[in-house]
Amino acid sequence: MSNKINGAEALIKSLICEGVDTVFGYPGGAIIPVYDKLYDYTSQLKHILVRHEQGATHAAQGYARATGKTGVVIVTSGPAATNVITGLSDALMDSTPLVVITGQVASSLLGSDAFQETDVVGIVHPVTKWAVQIRRAEDIPAAVARAFYIANNGRPGPVVLDIAKDAQVGMVEWAHRTCDYIRSYIPVPEINNADISEAARMLNHAERPMILSGHGVMISGAENELRMLAEKADIPVAATLLGLSTMPSDHPLYKGMLGMHGNIGPNYNTNRADVILAVGMRFDDRVTGRLDAYAPQAKIIHIDIDSSEFNKNVKAALTIHADARQALQALLPGINQTRRTAWLDSFIPCEKAENEKVIVPEVHPQGGMMKMGEVVNLVSRAFGDKAIGVTDVGQNQMFGSRYFRFTEPRSMLTSGGLGTMGFGLPAAIGAKMGCPEREVVLFVGDGGFQMTIQELGTILEYGTAVKIVLLNNNFLGNVRQWQQLFYDGRFSQTPMVNPDFVAICAAYGIDAENVTDRSQLSDAIARMVKSDKAYLLNVNIDPTDMIFPMIPLGAAVDEMMINANEMFKL
Amino acid sequence: MEKQLFTISVFSENNVGVLNQVTIIFTRRCINLESISASPTSIPGVHKLTFTAYGDRRQMEKVVQQIEKRIDVMKAFLHTDDEIVYQEVALYKVPTDKLLIESNLENIIRHHGARILDITPEYTILEKTGHNDETEALFEELKRYDIRQFVRSGRVTVTKSPIEHVSNYIEQQARLHPDRFPAE
Ligand SMILES: Cc1ncc(C[n+]2csc(CCOP(=O)(O)OP(=O)(O)O)c2C)c(N)n1
Ligand SMILES: [Mg+2]
């Protein structure tokens, strides 16, 4: 008796063998055979029917980044495949492991402009780590194994499998295939011990060292090693946007966020440091400000698993091509126990100034309309600083990342490199599905919310208990801020007439309330926290509020505005 | 930084779409490719793509890093002309009657080290292998005979270095994964 099954079933069995239990997707003509077989496997493979394929990719990203597992997406050909491009691009920028399966027309029709045919592999090459088209059923098991190996080894990223319809219906002898080796790809390089000794020597001789902690620390699970190294050598740590929650917010050595809207201390002291240990980060322009004025006194040690990041933006004195965790583990024994009181104290005046000029007025305003910072602060506290914070893009993102606090890793999900409005809602849904035992709270703007608002339907269908804090300023606030500061207050196309968001939630069966006045805020938050279902607060925010500090475009990291009229000075 | 001509050599698996993955890395940075060639190498299954392009060194180094990052690519190298031995081949199609009235034809062919590949009453096909300036020089010389077709191949190169980086890479992989080699 032959144990032949069709390609569609082989795909599903291969996914299950890879440990997949949840997929995000949307059916259509060129993927129907897979959906047909899925019908027989619902007990092993949960399919989440999103409301738009972009939502599927962001939900899979949220799932992947909250859990560390690979997010899986299944969509049909043509328009569905083009709808996943934004998510692929976002996942590539933010090193997120995804396997995206697209249906494709039958291989005999390829290149004929058949109905719903697009050149998927051709389109996705620039936005994927790897992509391949499969035309024969027997190639499916090996391709799936290879896809998962590539997506979640080395620097993670998105992979596309474009599966022609005849491959889905063709018959194949089922055999589970695995992949742990590709000749042309070395995901985790061997550590060079000489580099590690040199790094230890540089750090031991440093007087004003600083650690920059990036997403790579989280991806490799190096949070403990990072903290131990920082504590042993008494080195202040700053996080990139995607490195947030690699150190607990209240750790004495944690000095806050880097970059355009980061904290003053780490930005200012970047240009005072004599040695910088950069771990799993890529010196994005939002982090460095003007390059020729970046860290002029510092010798930079750059640890990254992706060697193409070395010397791309910032010249390093020493590069360590390695997994962050392995490198920090190797580094730790050679690091001298040290105390650096003076250097650490040098952060205090920066913190004082920021507190007085920026944080207190934002978090504890004296009257006036509500501010984003005060809302984020109260929400974070109400969840005991233990929730997973998800943000969309805009002012809500920057206030969210500045004022949300973390006690454990993987507690901040945001679209960093691509800055994709509409990321937040589906990412929060995916995060909640990946971590049902954790609270997931989304901070989203009125603009970005409406970019993927259709995913409220997904919440309705699956009862996903995400908490949504709509920071509603009736403006594309972030653009408004730039228009205010740099374009003479000419608010071109940034005010928005918004719908009744609470009524929309009612239509989707989601509990929601308007918070129009500060006096209602605490109680509303308490009700949201207490609810075990999805909940939305539509919070009426001061549209004139601006996110500070700010390193304007073209300025150096230590040239920070603390409000519209004042630069930071010590 | 000064722009100069670089040769970029890419060693990859022979998979569909590798050339596309590599060329878009140039396109994204608006780098015009002067020439391309693709061929097998001495190592089974390993293919070599060779590009020439003008650029500054820093930019080109980053391009090579991005190329090497592609999964299907094993190694990519940046070379200046002094680091490699290289050749191009050019073909010239010239009307035979015009050539025959030239008393000097033998001298031209000898002088340029060209070869005649085919002669018919209508046309003659000459071949010349050499560096760009050499095939160009013959082109200039033949211009007055009314060249009907001219074509020059992409550059093929071998390095002068005694170290065989790609072979070393393959050997290292074979050493680390003895059970898998050579198949994946
Ligand atoms: C898909 C997409 N389109 C446009 C932008 C540019 N953009 C960045 S922030 C922003 C305004 C966001 O407005 P809103 O969602 O209301 O958030 P707010 O800044 O008001 O908190 C815009 C338009 C973007 N980042 N992504
Ligand atoms: Mg807004």
Side-chain angles (χ1 to χ4, degrees):
Chain A
M1 204 187 80
S2 144
N3 67 341
K4 279 197 169 180
I5 57 176
N6 75 9
E9 190 169 1
L11 171 68
I12 289 165
K13 285 171 86 82
S14 300
L15 292 176
I16 293 168
C17 287
E18 291 294 333
V20 178
D21 55 18
T22 307
V23 299
F24 301 89
Y26 211 93
I31 196 79
I32 267 196
V34 172
Y35 276 83
D36 181 62
K37 285 296 167 191
L38 204 55
Y39 208 56
D40 299 329
Y41 284 88
T42 44
S43 61
Q44 292 166 73
L45 199 55
K46 185 169 187 192
H47 181 276
I48 305 299
L49 181 68
V50 292
R51 296 301 187 261
H52 185 290
E53 291 88 353
Q54 182 187 349
T57 55
H58 295 327
Q61 286 182 278
Y63 179 91
R65 283 171 60 180
T67 62
K69 293 196 276 184
T70 302
V72 183
V73 172
I74 302 179
V75 300
T76 188
S77 66
T82 57
N83 276 348
V84 303
I85 305 295
T86 306
L88 291 172
S89 188
D90 196 289
L92 185 70
M93 282 283 223
D94 286 353
S95 315
T96 310
L98 291 189
V99 170
V100 175
I101 291 149
T102 55
Q104 182 55 281
V105 301
S107 52
S108 58
L109 297 174
L110 285 169
S112 71
D113 294 331
F115 179 63
Q116 292 191 332
E117 180 195 1
T118 18
D119 175 10
V120 173
V121 171
I123 293 176
V124 303
H125 265 152
V127 293
T128 49
K129 190 172 170 188
W130 189 67
V132 73
Q133 188 176 67
I134 301 165
R135 287 171 231 92
R136 302 184 314 172
E138 59 263 41
D139 294 338
I140 288 177
V144 171
R146 194 177 161 101
F148 276 81
Y149 177 73
I150 292 171
N152 214 349
N153 276 285
R155 179 174 177 178
V159 169
V160 166
L161 297 177
D162 188 41
I163 308 183
K165 201 162 176 184
D166 41 333
Q168 298 171 37
V169 297
M171 299 305 280
V172 51
E173 197 82 37
W174 165 248
H176 176 207
R177 293 286 299 269
T178 57
C179 175
D180 59 3
Y181 166 68
I182 291 173
R183 181 170 75 165
S184 57
Y185 181 45
I186 302 175
V188 183
E190 281 177 274
I191 291 191
N192 178 335
N193 289 325
D195 290 346
I196 295 290
S197 317
E198 174 61 9
R201 197 195 58 78
M202 286 167 72
L203 286 166
N204 288 337
H205 283 83
E207 284 177 6
R208 300 179 308 281
M210 204 160 126
I211 295 175
L212 313 185
S213 176
H215 195 192
V217 171
M218 201 155 3
I219 292 168
S220 72
E223 293 92 348
N224 275 335
E225 286 76 5
L226 184 93
R227 191 178 37 74
M228 278 151 66
L229 191 142
E231 286 169 356
K232 191 170 182 191
D234 217 20
I235 304 177
V237 178
T240 66
L241 179 63
L242 267 69
L244 288 177
S245 79
T246 50
M247 280 279 267
S249 319
D250 60 359
H251 194 286
L253 288 171
Y254 179 61
K255 298 300 170 195
M257 183 169 78
L258 294 163
M260 182 176 269
H261 298 296
N263 294 102
I264 293 177
N267 278 329
Y268 187 79
N269 272 347
T270 292
N271 281 8
R272 307 288 169 290
D274 62 350
V275 173
I276 287 178
L277 176 65
V279 193
M281 55 85 76
R282 60 186 177 86
F283 296 101
D284 179 73
D285 54 74
R286 286 297 191 265
V287 161
T288 62
R290 200 173 76 237
L291 273 176
D292 61 18
Y294 182 75
Q297 308 184 26
K299 292 198 187 81
I300 294 173
I301 306 166
H302 192 181
I303 301 177
D304 208 287
I305 200 158
D306 176 1
S307 62
S308 75
E309 292 300 344
F310 294 146
N311 304 317
K312 189 180 82 176
N313 298 334
V314 168
K315 197 116 189 85
L318 175 65
T319 60
I320 298 180
H321 186 202
D323 171 76
R325 181 147 176 257
Q326 291 177 7
L328 292 178
Q329 266 170 353
L331 194 52
L332 202 50
I335 295 290
N336 296 342
Q337 191 109 32
T338 319
R339 293 283 76 111
R340 303 182 196 275
T341 319
W343 170 231
L344 288 168
D345 284 350
S346 76
F347 284 82
I348 295 172
C350 297
E351 283 160 5
K352 258 197 165 142
E354 182 172 346
N355 211 36
E356 188 182 308
K357 299 269 187 175
V358 182
I359 298 175
V360 169
E362 178 64 35
V363 174
H364 306 288
Q366 303 296 311
M369 292 178 76
M370 283 178 284
K371 293 179 177 276
M372 292 193 189
E374 86 176 290
V375 178
V376 173
N377 177 62
L378 285 176
V379 170
S380 182
R381 281 274 138 87
F383 284 109
D385 298 337
K386 289 204 164 62
I388 297 177
V390 183
T391 80
D392 205 74
V393 167
Q395 291 184 315
N396 61 86
Q397 174 181 39
M398 289 299 124
F399 280 110
S401 44
R402 279 180 58 83
Y403 296 106
F404 197 73
R405 278 177 308 273
F406 329 99
T407 41
E408 46 184 306
R410 296 190 183 273
S411 294
M412 185 79 210
L413 308 182
T414 191
S415 168
L418 201 64
T420 307
M421 282 174 71
F423 172 86
L425 180 61
I429 293 170
K432 183 68 188 171
M433 288 174 171
C435 299
E437 72 293 346
R438 289 190 72 186
E439 291 283 358
V440 175
V441 57
L442 167 69
F443 299 101
V444 61
D446 43 314
F449 188 47
Q450 293 181 77
M451 283 209 172
T452 46
I453 196 169
Q454 75 284 346
E455 300 308 334
L456 291 176
T458 310
I459 294 178
L460 164 67
E461 181 154 351
Y462 300 97
T464 321
V466 292
K467 307 299 163 66
I468 304 168
V469 179
L470 176 54
L471 298 167
N472 187 351
N473 51 13
N474 294 300
F475 257 99
L476 299 174
N478 212 67
V479 181
R480 182 192 194 280
Q481 172 165 349
W482 286 50
Q483 290 170 331
Q484 174 77 58
L485 293 174
F486 311 118
Y487 292 89
D488 300 327
R490 290 152 53 87
F491 299 128
S492 175
Q493 302 302 317
T494 45
M496 253 190 320
V497 176
N498 278 323
D500 180 343
F501 289 111
V502 169
I504 288 176
C505 284
Y508 280 103
I510 295 169
D511 295 336
E513 51 182 299
N514 288 313
V515 183
T516 48
D517 189 84
R518 177 167 292 121
S519 60
Q520 308 164 323
L521 183 60
S522 298
D523 289 349
I525 291 173
R527 282 190 291 273
M528 175 179 80
V529 171
K530 205 157 160 251
S531 166
D532 53 8
K533 292 189 291 188
Y535 208 97
L536 179 138
L537 298 182
N538 176 32
V539 188
N540 194 16
I541 294 290
D542 179 358
T544 64
D545 194 16
M546 289 195 264
I547 177 85
F548 288 108
M550 178 174 191
I551 305 169
L553 280 187
V557 268
D558 56 355
E559 296 168 354
M560 304 192 81
M561 301 166 72
I562 42 178
N563 57 47
N565 313 308
E566 202 180 338
M567 299 295 290
F568 168 72
K569 261 205 296 303
L570 252 194
Chain B
M1 244 194 266
E2 185 98 1
K3 282 202 170 190
Q4 67 178 113
L5 186 71
F6 285 99
T7 299
I8 299 99
S9 306
V10 180
F11 294 85
S12 73
E13 298 290 352
N14 184 22
N15 293 344
V16 176
V18 176
L19 181 62
N20 184 42
Q21 294 181 59
V22 175
T23 55
I24 56 178
I25 291 169
F26 291 98
T27 311
R28 183 172 170 190
R29 290 159 183 82
C30 213
I31 297 170
N32 205 6
L33 293 171
E34 299 296 321
S35 78
I36 306 183
S37 77
S39 89
T41 65
S42 59
I43 307 162
V46 177
H47 269 235
K48 182 178 181 186
L49 304 172
T50 308
F51 304 89
T52 57
Y54 286 94
D56 68 60
R57 179 171 281 280
R58 242 182 93 65
Q59 180 189 37
M60 285 299 185
E61 281 169 352
K62 291 184 199 177
V63 165
V64 167
Q65 286 178 312
Q66 293 301 321
I67 292 173
E68 204 170 85
K69 183 170 166 174
R70 298 308 302 178
I71 301 292
D72 296 319
V73 172
M74 289 160 198
K75 283 269 157 201
F77 301 98
L78 185 66
H79 292 301
T80 47
D81 287 356
D82 54 318
E83 296 165 332
I84 49 178
V85 176
Y86 58 98
Q87 285 290 43
E88 289 158 6
V89 60
L91 301 180
Y92 312 76
K93 181 175 173 184
V94 188
T96 301
D97 51 356
K98 297 242 171 85
L99 277 181
L100 288 179
I101 50 174
E102 175 61 67
S103 54
N104 202 20
L105 179 61
E106 187 200 338
N107 274 345
I108 292 176
I109 289 176
R110 274 181 191 284
H111 174 74
H112 287 276
R115 288 199 303 156
I116 292 175
L117 296 184
D118 194 15
I119 303 182
T120 74
E122 288 82 36
Y123 60 80
T124 298
I125 296 179
L126 298 173
E127 179 240 85
K128 155 104 192 118
T129 299
H131 289 181
N132 191 299
D133 52 343
E134 295 166 335
T135 51
E136 197 66 30
L138 180 56
F139 179 83
E140 289 301 323
E141 190 115 32
L142 291 175
K143 248 184 185 170
R144 61 192 142 114
Y145 306 113
D146 191 14
I147 300 174
R148 291 294 162 83
Q149 287 185 37
F150 168 72
V151 63
R152 181 164 48 222
S153 73
R155 193 177 258 204
V156 292
T157 67
V158 290
T159 54
K160 292 178 180 171
S161 158
I163 304 164
E164 303 300 339
H165 291 282
V166 181
S167 309
N168 292 354
Y169 173 89
I170 298 281
E171 278 158 24
Q172 182 199 338
Q173 284 288 64
R175 189 160 39 75
L176 293 174
H177 307 274
D179 45 331
R180 304 301 151 64
F181 216 79
E184 45 181 83

